[in-house]
Amino acid sequence: MITNTELEYKGNLFPAEIISFKLSGDTISFVTKNGVKLKITVLRDSIFRFRYATSGVFENDFSYAIDENPSFGFNKLEIVEDSEFITIITKKLICKVARIDLRIGIYDLNHREILEDELGFHWEESFEFGGNLVKMSKASIENENFYGLGDTPTNFNLKGKKISLWNTDQYAFGKDQNELYKAVPFYVALHHNLAYGIFFDNTFKTHFDFCKERRNISNFWAEGGEMNYYFIYGPEISDVVTSYTDLTGKPELPPMWALGYHQSKWSYYPESKVKEITSKFRELKFPCDVIYLDIDYMEGFRCFTWNKNFFPDPKRMVQELENNGFKTIAIIDPGIKIDPEYSVFKEALEKDFFCKRADGPYMRGKVWPGECYFPDFTNPKVREWWANLYQELIAEIGVKGIWNDMNEPAVMEVPGKTFPKDVRHDYDGNPCSHRKAHNVYGMQMAKATYEGVKKFIYPKRPFVITRANYAGGQRYTSTWTGDNVASWEHLYLANMQVQRLCISGMSFSGTDIGGFAEQPSGELYTRWIQLGVFHPFCRTHSSGEHGEQEPWCFGEEVLEITKKFVELRYQLIPYLYTAFHQYVEEGIPIIKSLVYADQEDVHTHYRSDEFIFGNQILVCPIQEPNAQGRRMYIPRGKWFNFWNDSVIEGGKEIWVDAPLDKMPLFIKEGAIIPKYPVQQYVDEIEIKELILEVYYKHGKENSVLYEDAHDGYDYKKGRYSLRSFKLHGKYEEISIQQHKDGKYSASYETMKLRFHGLPFTINKVLVDNEEVSLESLQFNSEENRITVNKAFTTLQLMG
Ligand code: MIG
């Protein structure tokens, strides 16, 4: 046991004994003998916020991460005192504060330990920068595991890892690369079937150590700012994640087309090349909704300009692409070229919108356009100006979405690849240096972009994608994992990173399919598409330097297989859209890691190749060359093999066949999976019939289907359709009850139900309690298929 005195000699300072405390409203404030203050705010019975001030003065309470209207409120707040502790009791938690040294212990109502401070809060004065390095150490109990932290490219379970968060442009990053594009200082921990989350809302460089330096200790600390963290209790991981997402906010629904397949490359130009690519998709009948314009569409990389040699008439081109079912997305970087003739530069200079060094000169850095200045996106006036710059691209030219890159912010040819630490920022009226603003720079750029796109695309919905982000940035934008590599290891990382982003509140995410750097083999590309169609964001992108990366560039076999998988994604769009709805409404991750889905089963704590897409489809990518299949873990319960309908009892590892044209896919028994017909792009055709794939279960299972107009905001006025299906299977009977909420009426009148795994032959069908002839239901005995009016409320099939 290290004593506090020993550590003080190493430069760490600690709170002394409590001399007073008081409760006011939802907050208990403590003062110690050496002037440390602690405020504990009870936000919900299961969420506490802890803030420490070393010199008795708290910072202005401002956060970019916390949503405007999270739902707070608790049922109980009681304080009990004894000689050792001041104890706070809510309806769900007991929190003890030690009188002697301010250490914290949190327990459930059965007095089971959830999380105890080891050294607890301590700090080190920073004479280099002023302020403090604020630190927290917690005792980690046996069998504790950790998950989260945004895009960190490492094993899904973070136990034994030490990670720091400082947004960095890491071209061709590797496994265990520290400091990537995003900073999401949130993690979930699990032990003894109790889950809790820590959200360390500090935008300085933060560090996390999950039992690496010391075996039974988890630590987090920051290179400045306040020790300001939220403790979020489960006991289910899903409670922690949805509470965190409630706290930091959810996005609005994206337009449905954004769930389609996207094609990108650095760069498609000139116009004839763009047209050649889009025409080829249509000619080959390979579904695709979106085409990207990377930096070469601009005039000398000047944002908000067009290279008129390559793109003589962008408005006409974008319209022609749209007529062919393609949405155009254009890239916009933060660096503004120093060019007195360039209007964006001139305007920002006049308005004093560029970042400056501490001693006065502009922050000057080299990026694609050459020497640039950089807007201070942490200034609300700058954001408003930036938002309005999108008028021409969106409202006049017709671009449908914006891609923000290089916003870590990235600077070329300098150590650290970013701004110097002394650069000043407004930070929404809380002026500070780059040390504090760095990790939110990209998020605030994406926010400004989102506001602009939203304004000019109205009454349609905006689409924004960003590379850098901070916790809470999911409110404005989708994201991708940056400059990965065409390697099998990166296919593994792609899987880990997207699962991690999903558990970190940023579900709308995906990877550069096939890899950005280097060239994938046809086999790697195929396996990557197979994974990518089950990611919320699905785009092929490559640096273009190494050859072609369109689905038809790897030969006939690859084209055929990748097309089959992209078609499957399009069929599953109503299912995926429903998962988006649950994410947007309730903060439920669109894909769920096995530990999220079944934390009680200890096998899931380290099983991470497998994940659940939506609620009922189990996916496991093939991550090795020459594979004919793989061993994988099937979670508890019964699952149908998607390819042959064989049923397997889970809770064990099995071998699954998966030659190149297949990947392991399983459907949860009892699931009702909605499908649309294959389309070349979203809304190509009016849906005339909904397909429901019904997987028999002896017992009960619920499924849902959310639909609306696919774009626009009518759904907010009640024009949506939320159907719930209750399936109940018995030996000689299966019944489905349907309930519909909302005022939206889908374009189709009928539903085609296909029954999988029925243990009996259908002889008799009741629709809303009346027997209906099999003929009138277009019964097909080979496929076990019937067609019914979409408005049925109960359906009974009997043997
Ligand atoms: O320094 O715009 O991650 O997707 O194609 C490279 C060119 C800048 C990095 C992005 C990548 C994009 C590329 N960009």
Side-chain angles (χ1 to χ4, degrees), residues 551-713:
W552 52 83
C553 299
F554 306 93
E556 271 302 310
E557 193 194 6
V558 170
L559 174 61
E560 209 181 292
I561 301 170
T562 53
K563 182 173 163 184
K564 188 178 82 181
F565 275 86
V566 170
E567 286 178 349
L568 178 59
R569 181 175 177 98
Y570 275 78
Q571 291 176 304
L572 289 173
I573 272 185
Y575 175 85
L576 177 57
Y577 199 54
T578 301
F580 264 86
H581 165 75
Q582 293 182 333
Y583 169 54
V584 160
E585 286 297 313
E586 296 165 64
I588 298 170
I590 294 172
I591 64 178
K592 293 154 191 83
S593 304
L594 290 197
V595 68
Y596 180 103
D598 189 1
Q599 70 184 40
E600 251 180 71
D601 174 5
V602 292
H603 290 107
T604 68
H605 298 185
Y606 280 92
R607 292 306 302 223
S608 53
D609 287 356
E610 309 83 354
F611 63 88
I612 294 170
F613 173 67
N615 298 320
Q616 295 159 322
I617 301 181
L618 173 66
V619 177
C620 187
I622 298 289
Q623 299 169 150
E624 275 172 11
N626 304 315
Q628 289 302 311
R630 62 166 291 163
R631 295 195 69 80
M632 69 174 277
Y633 185 71
I634 309 286
R636 299 190 297 182
K638 279 189 184 159
W639 299 82
F640 283 73
N641 185 320
F642 173 80
W643 302 105
N644 60 23
D645 273 359
S646 64
V647 177
I648 173 103
E649 175 78 54
K652 59 175 179 269
E653 194 180 77
I654 58 161
W655 170 268
V656 182
D657 287 333
L660 192 59
D661 64 342
K662 303 229 163 30
M663 88 186 291
L665 283 179
F666 292 83
I667 315 286
K668 194 175 188 188
E669 66 163 351
I672 298 185
I673 309 284
K675 279 185 181 169
Y676 286 166
V678 172
Q679 301 177 75
Q680 294 311 301
Y681 53 93
V682 166
D683 289 339
E684 181 198 16
I685 54 172
E686 183 163 275
I687 311 296
K688 288 282 180 326
E689 190 165 66
L690 180 79
I691 294 156
L692 294 177
E693 306 282 357
V694 184
Y695 291 85
Y696 176 81
K697 175 182 185 174
H698 188 85
K700 295 177 180 176
E701 171 80 10
N702 295 340
S703 303
V704 282
L705 168 62
Y706 172 83
E707 293 176 291
D708 62 19
H710 306 174
D711 206 336
Y713 296 96

Side-chain angles (χ1 to χ4, degrees), residues 530-546:
Q530 290 174 345
L531 172 64
V533 300
F534 294 103
H535 282 164
F537 175 68
C538 178
R539 177 183 76 160
T540 294
H541 179 58
S542 70
S543 71
E545 281 172 6
H546 313 276

Side-chain angles (χ1 to χ4, degrees), residues 266 294-295 331 368 403 405-406 467 480 483 512 516 541:
W266 179 16
D294 205 328
I295 49 177
I331 197 168
W368 290 105
W403 172 21
D405 185 24
M406 305 290 280
R467 193 170 69 176
W480 90 107
D483 297 344
D512 284 355
F516 178 73
H541 179 58

Side-chain angles (χ1 to χ4, degrees), residues 26 36 38 60 99 101 144 152 207 338 367 398 449 515 628 636 644 654 677 689 793:
D26 55 5
V36 174
L38 163 63
N60 179 29
R99 287 189 187 270
D101 56 8
E144 189 169 31
T152 305
H207 300 261
I338 300 177
V367 256
T449 298
Q628 289 302 311
R636 299 190 297 182
N644 60 23
I654 58 161
E689 190 165 66
T793 54

